């Protein structure tokens, strides 16, 4: 609404939130209660709070200070750390919320802060500005009503995507014209799906929706209306409600705390029982100066309970109160070692690694499975056209053109012969198809990352941008082969042919690419009035829709290129009569205006239109492997990790890349679970055959297995089996059992949703830590991961070196905390046998208070930050050392029991060592009992010296 109806001025502000983004957890008013609530949810903190309250309520042998002061210290330090981190989030939020935006009010463009934006406001966004909220595109500076956007901060893709203005409003160009709009948009409730948007009364879709965080490109300005604001934007919904991740070390700590709590209760019970057994003798009841009244003597149950609580207080230091805060400090400070690592800094991008959470540092040393995309992760995502094949004739840019070998092509393996007259016509039609069937835009000189593009020998030139780097590679390749795409102007696509003559084609319809169809089409009209439908897509999507053409020759070349690791596309066309074109337009418009299931109806229409093609040829694009990608994967394998590659490429292309990157070796036995095989055998039989094959490995066969599965078969595997079917088994469980026994898995022909299904914990329960490869994509997208590196090769050092060190350090820190507290408190237990179980403390209050806070916490903290038990060069050279720490090996129960008994043994040595030291002619037994403070001091000093020596 431009203005609400009279009497409803407060309608929009009350119903919809403002545009503030809130990523912080606390406010000034709720910080103390909310932070205290979160901290006391920890078992150790809550336990010490109870102990402190017990000391305040009943008569205990130690002062409340001994528990209260350490607890206050731990709570304060943790609150300061969390408060500082939240203050940083507040600063970031304020910078975003106070960013100026341009809003149209009363026919003029005015500036206001982003946080003051409301649903229904019409905003003006200029080139290179970021969208302040989710917007419906009303009009643009371009005549055709399109604009171009990069969504790097949302999905990591820096390529340009095309969006379209609402058909009814695209003619409103100026602020005055836009201000005259009166319209109502009824839309669905906010949801996090970035690619879904349905407006019920109006036929609006995701192509009209501009998302917060995306950036306007190659368009002077746009006008758009705010539809979702603040925490209801799709970006905010995707960043909210992250599940709390808990590392294996933290789970072990909690389990150990419960064990030590049981030990504490047992010690208190034993001492309570022994006290009353000791006092059963009337001569040992109470000393003469502490005679109880007869009433007090009869309250045995209450006395027993208070004595039990007193012993709990006396032995409570077996639970390490400062362990959590020390662990947090170790993680927080230790995370800087990744940030400071110069070996992981990328000079080309000027970026280093990112650490978005320090809570999972040690999990970098516990990785068992690595899931990676192929394009842009294993490869450079820098496409280059290697060849194109037209009716069996192969053309290589800069090498072969129209059957002629060009200079510099010597030594290249080429299959080519000069085409005849008909072949030449087909060849030029193929080149025109690739110059027309795309969403590439022409961009003049631009500054990107500080480097001016489009400048050649001092002259301004144009370059291509697109949502797909493959399309740019194809259009640039056509340029080198003699056909140049010039521009899209007034709905006409202009190209320059080999004779330097301009050809104009009117762009009538674009059937955009999607991951289900795996193809895209355009309908154009030539200057002579002929209608053409050009289509390009995956071979599996094009070949079934072809009715003529040299299919077998082109299929053979596609398979050859796929085996070489090249990305292949097929190109086809058909001519349309005017009547056929009119019918096509009618079908498309009917689907676009559907009020329900519009996407489904569009897909059905596309299926009807895209058929009966004539096959023209195929292309092959190369995407080179990243530097040292193969070495990194080989090292991960040696370290015991299993690597899964998830890609949308066809099987042959993906498999070739996997061999090149050493995911598969020549001696790897490949197991195929593909549509081709399931057509020959039932899915049930194939699964059980593969299961029997991998079981032989468990029975002694040391064969290295690799699995290849395609998207269609994966869908069948994950589909719930119907009860009562004859297979009698669970396909998903059998599939996972096969995968667990394969060193590498390749999932090809995968749709984006299927990639998410593989990573989801409902399918595979071992995904915890996420590491994003930033590469050339938007750096802001890395915020949604736990860690980020710039190149795939940096994964090697992050896991094998930093992950190894993090786990070793934190594991020894945790074990040492439990060990030292056993050493400290077990002598207190032994001392009760020498003081008539009178709950007399062995140590002075100062030692009880400071032992955990400073005497023993600071040395182990420094140790856990600096320890390098193995040189990092050795860790990189010998990845098998990573196996030594796998599966939480240093925090298993046998190791924990060893440390516990070591603590008990050392405590016995300390206690009786001091006992016999005092048992001499100078100090009698009576004297050391009387001078127990000196005795306790000797204990503490011995333990401190021993601990520092141990470290």
């Amino acid at each position: 609404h431009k203005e609400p109806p009279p009497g409803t001025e407060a309608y929009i502000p009350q119903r919809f939130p403002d545009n503030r983004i809130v990523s912080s957890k606390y406010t000034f008013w709720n910080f103390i209660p909310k932070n205290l609530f979160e901290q006391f949810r920890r078992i150790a903190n809550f336990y010490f709070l109870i102990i402190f309250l017990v000391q305040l309520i009943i008569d205990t042998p130690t002062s409340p200070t001994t528990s209260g002061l350490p607890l206050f210290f731990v709570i304060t330090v943790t609150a300061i750390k969390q408060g500082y981190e939240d203050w940083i989030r507040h600063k970031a939020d304020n910078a975003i919320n106070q960013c100026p935006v341009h809003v149209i009010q009363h026919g003029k463009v005015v500036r206001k802060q982003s946080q003051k934006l409301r649903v229904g406001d019409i905003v003006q966004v200029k080139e290179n500005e970021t969208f302040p909220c989710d917007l419906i595109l009303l009009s643009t500076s371009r005549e055709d009503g399109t604009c171009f956007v990069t969504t790097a901060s949302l999905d990591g893709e820096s390529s340009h995507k095309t969006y379209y203005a609402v058909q009814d409003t695209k003619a409103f160009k100026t602020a005055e014209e836009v201000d005259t709009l009166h319209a109502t948009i009824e839309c669905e409730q906010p949801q996090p799906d970035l690619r879904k948007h349905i407006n019920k009364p109006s036929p609006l879709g995701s192509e009209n929706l501009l998302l917060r965080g995306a950036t306007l490109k190659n368009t002077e300005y746009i006008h758009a209306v705010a539809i979702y604001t603040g925490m209801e934007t799709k970006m905010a919904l995707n960043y909210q409600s992250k599940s709390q991740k808990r590392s294996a070390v933290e789970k072990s700590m909690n389990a150990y705390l419960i064990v030590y709590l049981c030990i504490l209760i047992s010690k208190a019970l034993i001492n309570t029982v022994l006290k009353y057994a000791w006092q059963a003798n009337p001569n040992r009841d109470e000393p003469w100066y502490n005679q109880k009244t007869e009433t007090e003597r009869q309250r045995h149950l209450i006395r027993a309970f208070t004595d039990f609580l007193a012993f709990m207080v006396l032995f409570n230091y077996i639970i390490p109160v400062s362990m959590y805060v020390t662990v947090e400090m170790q993680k927080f400070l230790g995370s800087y070692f990744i940030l400071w690592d110069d070996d992981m800094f990328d000079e080309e991008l000027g970026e280093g690694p990112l650490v978005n959470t320090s809570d999972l540092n040690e999990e970098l040393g516990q990785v068992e499975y690595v899931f990676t995309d192929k394009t842009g992760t294993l490869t450079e995502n820098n496409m280059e056209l290697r060849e194109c094949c037209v009716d069996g004739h192969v053309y290589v840019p800069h090498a072969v053109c129209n059957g002629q070998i060009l200079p510099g092509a010597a030594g290249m393996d080429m299959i080519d012969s000069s085409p005849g007259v008909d072949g030449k016509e087909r060849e030029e039609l193929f080149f025109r198809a690739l110059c027309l069937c795309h969403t590439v835009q022409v961009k003049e000189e631009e500054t990107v990352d500080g480097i001016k593009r489009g400048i050649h020998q001092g002259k301004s030139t144009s370059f291509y941008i697109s949502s797909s780097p493959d399309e740019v590679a194809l259009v640039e390749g056509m340029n080198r082969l003699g056909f140049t795409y010039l521009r899209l102007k007034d709905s006409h696509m202009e190209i320059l042919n080999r004779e330097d003559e301009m050809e104009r084609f009117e762009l009538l319809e674009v059937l955009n690419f999607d991951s289900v169809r795996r193809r895209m089409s355009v309908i154009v009209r030539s200057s002579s009035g002929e209608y053409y439908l050009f289509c390009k897509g995956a071979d599996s999507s094009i070949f079934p829709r072809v009715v003529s053409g040299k299919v077998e020759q082109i299929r053979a070349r596609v398979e050859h290129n796929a085996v070489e690791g090249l990305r292949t596309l097929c190109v086809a066309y058909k001519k349309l009569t005017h009547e056929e074109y009119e019918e096509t337009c009618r079908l498309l418009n009917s689907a676009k205006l559907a009020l329900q299931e519009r996407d489904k109806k569009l897909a059905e229409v596309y299926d009807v239109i895209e058929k009966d093609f004539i096959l023209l040829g195929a292309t092959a694009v190369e995407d080179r492997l990243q530097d040292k990608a193969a070495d990194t994967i080989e090292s991960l394998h040696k370290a015991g990790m299993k690597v899964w590659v998830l890609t949308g490429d066809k099987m042959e292309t993906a498999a070739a890349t996997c061999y090149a990157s050493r995911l598969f070796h020549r001696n790897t036995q490949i197991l195929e679970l593909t549509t081709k095989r399931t057509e020959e055998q039932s899915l049930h039989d194939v699964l059980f055959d593969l299961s029997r094959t991998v079981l032989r490995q468990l029975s002694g066969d040391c064969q290295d297995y690799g699995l290849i599965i395609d998207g269609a078969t994966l869908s069948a595997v994950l589909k719930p089996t119907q009860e009562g079917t004859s297979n009698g088994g669970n396909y998903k469980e059998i599939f996972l059992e096969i995968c667990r026994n394969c060193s590498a898995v390749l999932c090809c022909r995968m749709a984006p949703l299927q990639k998410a299904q593989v990573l989801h914990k409902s399918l595979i329960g071992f995904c915890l830590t996420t590491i994003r490869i930033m590469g050339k994509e938007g750096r802001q997208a890395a915020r949604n991961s736990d860690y980020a590196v710039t190149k795939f090769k940096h994964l090697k050092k992050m896991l094998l070196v930093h992950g190894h060190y993090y786990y070793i350090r934190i594991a020894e820190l945790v074990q040492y905390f439990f060990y030292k507290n056993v050493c400290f408190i077990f002598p207190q237990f032994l001392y009760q046998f020498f003081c008539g179980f009178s709950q007399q403390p062995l140590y002075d209050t100062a030692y009880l208070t400071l032992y955990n806070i400073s005497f023993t916490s600071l040395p182990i903290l420094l140790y856990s930050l600096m320890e390098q038990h193995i040189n990092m060069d050795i860790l990189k050279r010998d990845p098998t050392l990573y196996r030594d720490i796998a599966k939480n090996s240093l925090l298993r129960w046998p190791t924990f029991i060893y440390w516990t008994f070591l603590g008990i043994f050392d405590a016995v040595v300390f206690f009786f060592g001091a006992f016999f030291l005092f048992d001499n002619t100078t100090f009698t037994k009576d004297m050391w009992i009387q001078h127990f403070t000196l005795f306790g001091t000797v204990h503490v000093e011995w333990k401190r010296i021993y601990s520092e020596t141990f470290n």
Side-chain angles (χ1 to χ4, degrees):
H1 301 271
K2 185 192 74 171
E3 292 181 358
T8 60
E9 286 78 4
Y11 174 72
I12 289 180
Q14 287 181 355
R15 184 173 180 181
F16 302 109
D18 59 26
N19 199 41
R20 284 180 298 172
I21 287 291
V22 180
S23 63
S24 56
K25 294 172 60 178
Y26 308 106
T27 66
F28 177 80
W29 304 107
N30 72 7
F31 175 73
I32 293 179
K34 189 174 181 179
N35 186 262
L36 288 177
F37 173 76
E38 291 181 354
Q39 291 206 56
F40 283 117
R41 290 173 64 184
R42 285 180 168 174
I43 185 172
N45 291 346
F46 183 73
Y47 162 77
F48 269 90
L49 176 64
I50 297 298
I51 292 295
F52 175 66
L53 294 177
V54 168
Q55 288 177 295
L56 291 176
I57 295 171
I58 69 172
D59 183 21
T60 57
T62 57
S63 168
T65 306
T66 60
S67 293
L69 189 58
L71 180 62
F72 175 78
F73 174 79
V74 168
I75 295 297
T76 302
V77 170
T78 304
I80 291 173
K81 172 183 175 290
Q82 294 178 354
Y84 172 76
E85 291 175 346
D86 204 61
W87 176 69
I88 297 296
R89 288 190 286 266
H90 271 284
K91 287 182 63 179
D93 289 346
N94 289 336
I96 295 173
N97 294 331
Q98 295 175 10
C99 181
V101 297
H102 296 90
V103 180
I104 296 177
Q105 290 182 349
H106 307 296
K108 296 181 180 180
V109 178
V110 299
R111 285 162 59 102
K112 66 164 58 175
Q113 291 183 348
S114 175
Q115 63 186 358
K116 296 180 180 179
L117 203 60
R118 295 292 186 271
V119 170
D121 285 349
I122 297 178
V123 301
Q124 184 184 81
V125 181
K126 298 181 180 179
E127 186 174 9
N128 296 321
E129 290 183 351
T130 300
F131 301 131
C133 62
D134 291 351
L135 306 164
I136 291 293
L137 180 58
L138 299 177
S139 64
T140 79
S141 60
R142 303 174 67 92
E143 292 297 326
D144 57 1
T146 61
C147 73
F148 307 102
V149 171
T150 58
T151 57
S153 62
L154 298 173
D155 53 18
E157 297 181 9
S158 59
S159 50
H160 292 61
K161 299 178 181 178
T162 306
Y163 288 82
Y164 300 87
V166 177
Q167 193 69 22
D168 296 334
T169 62
K170 71 177 185 179
F172 293 76
K173 299 292 184 181
T174 66
E176 292 80 3
E177 291 174 337
V178 172
D179 195 48
T180 63
L181 284 173
H182 292 269
T184 299
I185 300 175
E186 182 181 344
C187 58
E188 63 189 3
Q189 292 296 316
Q191 59 167 306
D193 191 338
L194 297 178
R195 296 174 175 82
K196 184 177 181 182
H197 178 75
I198 299 174
N199 293 90
K200 295 180 180 177
S202 305
L204 305 179
S206 57
E207 69 275 10
N208 309 116
L209 179 64
L210 306 173
L211 301 182
R212 177 172 193 150
T215 303
L216 183 66
K217 291 288 185 181
N218 204 24
T219 308
E220 185 180 349
Y221 66 85
I222 65 163
H223 293 117
V225 59
I227 186 170
Y228 299 124
T229 54
M231 301 308 292
E232 289 187 349
T233 59
K234 293 184 182 291
M235 182 182 74
L237 292 174
N238 273 274
Y239 288 160
Q240 290 182 69
S241 302
K242 285 186 179 179
S243 58
Q244 184 66 34
K245 298 178 180 179
R246 295 174 58 200
S247 67
V249 171
E250 186 175 352
K251 293 176 183 177
S252 297
M253 286 167 53
N254 292 337
Y256 297 166
L257 281 172
I258 293 174
V259 171
Y260 270 56
L261 185 59
C262 293
I263 294 174
L264 171 62
I265 294 173
S266 300
K267 289 167 65 175
L269 282 173
I270 291 171
N271 275 263
T272 303
V273 171
L274 291 176
K275 175 178 181 177
Y276 283 88
W278 168 270
Q279 292 181 353
N281 187 332
N283 296 326
R284 297 175 178 170
D285 185 6
E286 292 286 349
W288 62 269
Y289 54 82
N290 194 26
Q291 290 291 327
K292 298 291 184 182
T293 65
E294 193 62 29
T295 303
E296 291 173 328
R297 290 178 183 275
Q298 293 175 358
R299 296 167 62 186
H300 296 297
L301 186 60
I302 296 177
R303 284 186 58 200
F305 180 68
T306 56
D307 283 336
F308 170 76
L309 292 179
F311 279 118
M312 286 282 290
V313 170
L314 188 64
F315 302 141
N316 78 85
Y317 268 92
I318 196 172
I319 305 294
V321 64
S322 63
M323 180 175 65
Y324 277 115
V325 71
T326 307
V327 166
E328 282 196 3
M329 292 298 294
Q330 191 273 345
K331 290 182 177 183
F332 176 73
L333 297 174
S335 64
Y336 283 92
F337 289 117
I338 288 181
L339 300 176
W340 294 335
D341 193 333
D342 292 337
D343 292 342
M344 299 173 68
F345 185 84
D346 189 88
E347 297 288 347
E348 178 186 355
L349 297 175
E351 293 281 345
L354 294 178
V355 178
N356 294 326
T357 176
S358 60
D359 294 336
L360 300 171
N361 289 345
E362 63 275 13
E363 284 299 308
L364 296 175
Q366 296 295 295
V367 176
E368 295 183 55
Y369 291 83
V370 174
F371 296 87
T372 174
D373 195 6
K374 185 178 79 69
T375 305
T377 303
L378 288 179
T379 62
E380 293 282 359
N381 199 18
N382 188 9
M383 311 297 181
E384 182 179 356
L385 179 66
R386 284 284 299 272
E387 70 169 51
C388 52
C389 173
V390 185
D391 288 346
H393 303 290
V394 177
Y395 300 82
V396 180
H398 292 322
V400 178
C401 181
N402 195 22
Q404 301 298 317
I405 300 179
L406 300 182
M412 295 185 66
D413 181 21
M414 291 171 289
I415 305 171
D416 189 46
S417 60
S418 298
V421 177
D422 292 341
K424 189 174 187 299
E425 182 181 344
R426 189 70 62 84
E427 164 199 303
E428 292 190 351
L429 189 59
F430 173 86
F431 293 156
R432 287 187 180 95
L434 288 177
C435 284
L436 297 172
C437 186
H438 57 72
T439 57
V440 169
Q441 301 297 324
V442 181
K443 176 66 176 174
E444 295 299 326
E445 169 190 336
E446 182 187 55
T447 300
V448 178
D449 295 333
I451 301 173
K452 276 198 173 183
R453 300 178 60 182
I455 299 293
H456 180 65
Q457 296 179 348
K459 298 180 180 179
S460 175
T461 60
S462 60
F463 63 95
Y464 300 120
I465 56 177
S466 173
S467 59
S468 168
D470 298 72
E471 287 194 328
V472 173
L474 293 175
V475 175
E476 289 178 343
M478 293 304 100
N479 191 356
R480 296 196 295 271
L481 287 170
F483 278 76
T484 303
Y485 172 63
L486 297 177
R487 66 184 67 84
L488 173 64
K489 183 178 180 181
D490 299 329
S491 299
H492 283 75
M493 302 181 79
E494 299 177 353
I495 62 175
L496 203 64
N497 61 25
R498 286 176 178 155
E499 286 73 33
D500 287 337
E501 298 172 347
M502 181 183 292
E503 300 179 4
R504 300 181 86 241
F505 293 81
E506 184 181 0
L507 181 61
L508 301 173
E509 297 286 349
V510 178
L511 282 59
N512 287 316
F513 175 88
D514 65 62
S515 59
V516 178
R517 288 167 44 242
R518 300 184 64 79
R519 61 184 180 271
M520 75 158 292
S521 301
V522 295
I523 300 176
V524 298
R525 181 169 56 195
S526 67
S527 56
S528 61
E530 295 178 304
Y531 293 92
Y532 290 92
L533 190 154
F534 292 113
C535 181
K536 74 171 188 287
D539 60 310
S540 60
S541 177
I542 298 295
F543 283 141
R545 299 177 174 274
V546 167
V547 293
S548 66
K550 296 187 178 180
V551 177
E552 295 307 318
Q553 295 94 319
I554 294 173
R555 189 194 302 273
R557 194 62 190 173
V558 166
E559 292 178 355
H560 172 272
N561 288 331
V563 171
E564 294 296 318
L566 302 178
R567 298 161 61 91
T568 57
L569 286 175
C570 293
V571 182
Y573 86 105
K574 69 176 178 180
K575 282 188 177 182
L576 302 174
T577 65
H578 181 73
E579 291 74 17
E580 289 173 332
Y581 168 68
E582 292 291 338
E583 176 65 13
T584 298
C585 289
R586 187 188 68 77
L587 292 173
L588 286 173
N589 289 334
S590 175
K592 289 178 180 178
L593 293 174
L595 297 181
Q596 296 179 346
E597 297 184 334
R598 186 152 54 99
D599 290 341
K600 180 181 178 181
K601 291 181 179 179
L602 272 175
E604 292 172 352
V605 171
Y606 289 165
D607 192 61
V608 171
I609 295 172
E610 296 173 320
K611 63 181 182 180
D612 301 330
F613 287 135
I614 300 172
L615 185 62
L616 284 173
T619 63
V621 172
E622 181 182 30
D623 187 9
R624 292 187 177 89
L625 282 177
Q626 283 196 16
D627 180 38
K628 297 183 180 179
D631 174 67
T632 301
I633 286 186
E634 189 173 38
S635 297
L636 298 181
H637 271 156
K638 290 179 179 178
M641 302 178 210
K642 297 178 180 180
V643 182
W644 290 42
V645 173
L646 315 176
T647 179
D649 287 345
K650 64 181 299 181
M651 187 181 79
E652 293 81 2
T653 302
T657 302
C658 289
Y659 277 110
S661 62
R662 301 180 199 166
L663 183 76
F664 297 149
H665 297 275
R666 295 303 169 188
N667 60 347
T668 301
Q669 182 175 342
I670 302 299
L671 309 176
E672 289 189 15
L673 187 56
T674 59
T675 305
K676 182 179 180 181
R677 183 167 179 183
T678 55
E679 288 173 353
E680 301 170 355
Q681 291 178 272
S682 67
L683 178 61
H684 176 271
D685 293 339
V686 173
L687 279 171
F688 277 90
D689 284 347
L690 296 180
S691 180
R692 284 192 294 269
T693 301
V694 297
L695 283 177
R696 289 200 298 269
Q697 179 183 13
L698 300 178
S699 61
D701 185 4
C702 296
Q703 179 70 45
D704 183 26
Y705 291 105
L707 176 68
I708 298 179
I709 184 171
D710 58 22
T713 310
L714 181 65
S715 296
V717 169
L718 299 182
K719 185 178 180 181
T721 55
Q722 299 295 325
E723 293 184 7
T725 54
S726 59
N727 59 60
N730 190 323
Y731 287 164
K732 181 173 148 183
E733 291 302 321
I734 299 172
F735 169 66
L736 291 180
E737 186 61 31
I738 294 170
C739 292
R740 292 188 185 104
N741 289 282
C742 293
S743 60
V745 176
L746 168 61
C747 302
C748 54
R749 291 296 195 200
M750 297 279 286
L753 180 60
Q754 289 178 310
K755 295 180 183 180
Q757 286 178 322
V758 169
L759 292 174
H760 197 273
K761 65 181 181 181
S762 63
L763 173 62
I764 298 173
F766 35 69
C767 297
L768 180 62
T769 308
T770 58
I771 306 174
R772 179 179 291 275
I773 312 296
M774 291 186 289
K776 297 179 181 179
E777 309 298 345
R779 249 59 78 203
Q780 294 183 69
R783 293 180 304 179
N784 208 28
S785 60
D786 299 314
Y787 303 89
V789 293
T790 55
K791 293 290 177 62
F792 185 78
K793 65 180 180 180
H794 296 149
L795 203 61
K796 178 179 178 180
K797 187 171 186 183
M798 175 169 275
L799 298 181
L800 302 187
V801 177
H802 291 290
H804 195 113
Y805 283 158
Y806 281 140
Y807 178 74
I808 288 288
R809 291 165 178 171
I810 200 72
E812 294 193 0
L813 169 65
V814 170
Q815 296 282 28
Y816 175 77
F817 253 93
F818 287 103
Y819 158 81
K820 72 180 181 62
N821 278 42
V822 171
C823 288
F824 180 61
I825 213 62
F826 195 73
Q828 182 76 74
F829 174 76
L830 296 176
Y831 183 62
Q832 296 306 302
F833 288 86
F834 294 86
C835 66
F837 306 100
S838 61
Q839 300 151 5
Q840 174 64 52
L842 175 63
Y843 308 111
D844 184 78
T845 299
Y847 291 123
L848 287 171
T849 304
L850 298 176
Y851 178 79
N852 268 321
I853 293 178
S854 59
F855 290 172
T856 56
S857 293
L858 293 180
I860 189 62
L861 175 60
L862 294 176
Y863 171 87
S864 63
L865 289 173
M866 303 298 180
E867 168 64 10
Q868 294 187 13
H869 64 297
I870 300 176
N871 186 276
M872 66 174 58
D873 292 332
I874 297 176
L875 289 176
K876 286 192 290 187
R877 286 198 307 267
D878 187 4
T880 58
L881 294 172
Y882 193 88
R883 297 172 182 259
D884 297 339
I885 62 171
K887 298 181 179 178
N888 204 16
S889 60
L890 297 185
L891 289 175
R892 292 177 183 168
W893 286 107
T895 309
F896 168 72
I897 293 171
Y898 164 77
W899 279 81
T900 300
F901 277 99
L902 180 63
I904 293 173
F905 172 79
D906 290 341
V908 171
V909 172
F910 296 152
F911 181 84
F912 288 103
F915 177 85
F916 291 114
L917 174 67
F918 279 73
D919 187 18
N920 54 43
T921 55
T922 305
F923 295 96
T924 65
K925 292 181 180 179
D926 292 335
M927 290 179 66
W928 73 256
I929 292 176
Q930 294 170 9
H931 296 83
F932 62 86
T933 302
L934 177 60
F935 183 57
T937 303
V938 171
H939 267 280
V940 172
E941 287 302 310
W942 279 12
K943 278 189 274 291
R944 183 184 62 80
I945 295 170
Y946 181 80
S947 298
E948 292 179 358
T949 305
F950 180 81
N951 283 343

